[in-house]
Amino acid sequence: MVPVVDMVLIALAGLGAGAINTLVGSGTLITFPTLVALGYPPVTSTMSNAIGLVAGGVSGTWGYRRELRGQWNRLAWQIPASFLGAGIGAWLLLHLPETVFERVVPVLLILALVLVVVGPRIQAYARRRAEAAGQSAEHVSRSRLAAVVVATFAVGIYGGYFTAAQGIMLIAAMGALLPEDMQRMNAAKNLLSLVVNVVAAAAYTVVAFDRISWPAAGLIAAGSLIGGFLGAHYGRRLSPNALRAVILVVGMIGLYRLLSV
């Protein structure tokens, strides 16, 4: 039985993660460290988190559906790349020894926190490229499209293994390769991250049903569903710096908890 205080904390973490994922990505850096800090094993935390955040991905993607218009020619290639990458990442998580994950995850968490810090620079660079480019984002060269698909596949592997900050990685890749508007890239990021989470969640459910904390996953799902909706409709009014500060604080707590066990 999950203590009431823990239930409230997990649900609130899910709410925050759903909103943050919709806006800037890296919401997993709220939920994953929260679960670890409450005593859940790292692999259980990442699997329960991936399942719970599917709901927030659905509401966030739906909220940004208008910005997806005109991107489907490219997304028709990126979606399968995310799907295949996520399958490989989930396979790695399920088949590598849990000790490997416990050793690698602090490094991945540090990398994700660094990406949160440099995220504004990445997004500013992406905006400058979008404003300076004269070509349409809907008609990129074959070589550039291939590079975007390969990058999407690589991020999918990362996301299937450890979901934190995959959204920022996608924004970085698309921002460097595409003359796209930031809001349109954010919409694509939400959809591709949802694909990764759905694939990973399905794999975890089929192969490792008994290793998942279903109460935690359910609480995260409920919170992230609302958070994704709020992020898509009202979150643009919030300060991105304030959101990043929350992510960094919670992420550092989770990192300390991982390194101290």
Side-chain angles (χ1 to χ4, degrees), residues 75-236:
L75 288 171
W77 293 93
Q78 286 184 276
I79 290 173
S82 287
F83 185 94
L84 292 174
I88 293 173
W91 186 90
L92 290 173
L93 180 68
L94 292 167
H95 288 82
L96 291 177
E98 188 165 338
T99 53
V100 173
F101 183 84
E102 292 172 355
R103 291 172 183 170
V104 171
V105 74
V107 177
L108 297 178
L109 188 52
I110 291 171
L111 173 62
L113 290 172
V114 169
L115 285 172
V116 171
V117 174
V118 302
R121 294 184 181 181
I122 294 172
Q123 293 173 345
Y125 173 71
R127 274 196 300 271
R128 288 195 299 270
R129 284 184 60 88
E131 292 168 359
Q135 70 179 110
S136 168
E138 299 160 22
H139 298 90
V140 297
S141 65
R142 290 185 179 181
S143 60
R144 187 169 293 190
L145 176 60
V148 170
V149 172
V150 170
T152 302
F153 173 71
V155 174
I157 295 175
Y158 170 89
Y161 187 76
F162 183 59
T163 57
Q166 64 170 318
I168 292 177
M169 290 182 175
L170 283 168
I171 289 288
M174 290 189 289
L177 295 167
L178 297 173
E180 266 290 11
D181 172 79
M182 180 56 63
Q183 293 298 337
R184 282 165 57 84
M185 284 194 296
N186 199 43
K189 175 265 293 179
N190 288 339
L191 175 60
L192 295 172
S193 296
L194 173 61
V195 170
V196 171
N197 279 355
V198 167
V199 172
Y204 302 155
T205 301
V206 171
V207 178
F209 187 91
D210 58 334
R211 299 173 66 188
I212 297 164
S213 173
W214 290 103
L219 290 167
I220 291 173
S224 69
L225 182 67
I226 299 171
F229 174 83
L230 294 176
H233 288 79
Y234 306 108
R236 291 170 186 157

Side-chain angles (χ1 to χ4, degrees), residues 25-59:
S26 70
T28 292
L29 293 181
I30 296 292
T31 44
F32 177 79
T34 297
L35 293 179
V36 171
L38 292 175
Y40 291 87
V43 172
T44 296
S45 296
T46 199
M47 290 193 294
S48 305
N49 174 65
I51 291 170
L53 288 180
V54 167
V58 170
S59 58

